[in-house]
Amino acid sequence: MAAGSDPIVGASRDGRSTRWDPHRRERRQAIITAAIAAIEEYGPEVLTARIAEQAGVPRTHVYRHFDGKRALDLAVSAHIGNEIGEHIRGGLAVGGSARDIIGAAIGQHLRWVEEHPNLYRFVAQHAYAVRAKDSRSAVDAKAAFAAELSVLVERYLRALGVDAAAAERVIVGVVGLVDATAAWWLEGGGTPVRAVLTAELTGRVWLLIDSVGRDLGFELDPDRPLPDLP
């Protein structure tokens, strides 16, 4: 065995290193949480110094856990994307008619945008960088909405005996419409009120889904309960 390759010494060194992993993960998550709070308060262009202050650590400590500002932005975007996905998933889980489900999902999405305008702006600015790194990540409102909607629409199409591949054509149109409208609404000062915009968007999204459905050879009553999914 070559000098310096004692497996016991190596295992000991590895053990000393890995026992700090939980602490590193906790500190990393604390910085992400602090970054989100700072973005909410100061806006999407918040400086790292503000984030460090929010986290209660020196600025240099932030970059012990993230390899530069871009890495921090990607981590924050991914965390926010997961949060958005959870909110949308709650709306999609209501069951009922197509109109009920569409309205609940859109309502949850708009509620999150209304409650977290600076986070919405932040992920819109930084999502392109995450997609370049990993196109599968749900890192902004559009990606999160698409991911959750894709799963549900595909399951319903299969339940209705329709080719699930057709779901992509539905989702592209729905996601683009909802996200563009949400961005316009946010920058317009939240007018009309969320309930009115939710109802308007629900009607428009239903027209899009109905049109695609007719092209595929099936028709749905928007107010009739959909079949239970397994």
Side-chain angles (χ1 to χ4, degrees):
M1 182 179 295
S5 60
D6 187 331
I8 297 177
V9 173
S12 176
R13 184 181 299 111
D14 290 344
R16 287 195 301 270
S17 175
T18 58
R19 72 181 181 181
W20 291 105
D21 285 351
H23 174 74
R24 295 189 187 103
R25 285 193 295 268
E26 290 174 8
R27 181 53 62 86
R28 179 183 171 89
Q29 184 56 51
I31 293 171
I32 291 173
T33 301
I36 289 172
I39 293 165
E40 295 247 46
E41 183 173 357
Y42 300 108
E45 304 297 339
V46 65
L47 299 176
T48 305
R50 289 282 192 185
I51 295 172
E53 180 182 348
Q54 187 81 33
V57 300
R59 183 178 181 278
T60 54
H61 284 208
V62 172
Y63 296 124
R64 291 182 183 179
H65 300 275
F66 298 92
D67 186 20
K69 183 65 162 60
R70 181 176 180 275
L72 175 60
D73 289 342
L74 299 187
V76 171
S77 294
H79 185 91
I80 296 171
N82 288 334
E83 182 179 307
I84 296 171
E86 290 177 7
H87 279 266
I88 295 170
R89 197 175 307 131
L92 292 173
V94 297
S97 68
R99 197 187 305 275
D100 292 335
I101 296 170
I102 294 167
I106 291 173
Q108 287 285 77
H109 179 65
L110 294 180
R111 179 189 297 276
W112 192 93
V113 171
E114 186 176 48
E115 292 176 351
H116 307 282
N118 280 334
L119 294 185
Y120 182 80
R121 294 182 180 105
F122 176 86
V123 293
Q125 291 178 16
H126 295 282
Y128 72 91
V130 184
R131 289 199 191 99
K133 181 179 180 182
D134 182 357
S135 60
R136 298 168 298 175
S137 297
V139 296
D140 64 356
K142 183 185 294 186
F145 196 87
E148 299 301 332
L149 193 63
S150 295
V151 173
L152 188 74
V153 171
E154 287 175 4
R155 291 174 68 194
Y156 271 119
L157 287 177
R158 282 195 292 267
L160 294 167
V162 180
D163 181 8
E168 185 175 356
R169 297 195 290 277
V170 181
I171 292 160
V172 168
V174 169
V175 170
L177 173 60
V178 172
D179 188 66
T181 303
W184 164 84
W185 177 63
L186 177 62
E187 300 311 323
T191 302
V193 298
R194 175 161 43 87
V196 171
L197 185 61
T198 298
E200 291 179 357
L201 261 179
T202 298
R204 292 168 190 162
V205 167
W206 166 250
L207 290 175
L208 179 59
I209 292 175
D210 183 52
S211 175
V212 173
R214 290 173 187 272
D215 289 344
L216 294 173
F218 72 93
E219 296 183 23
L220 287 176
D221 181 340
D223 298 306
R224 182 176 181 177
L226 289 169
D228 291 334
L229 292 173

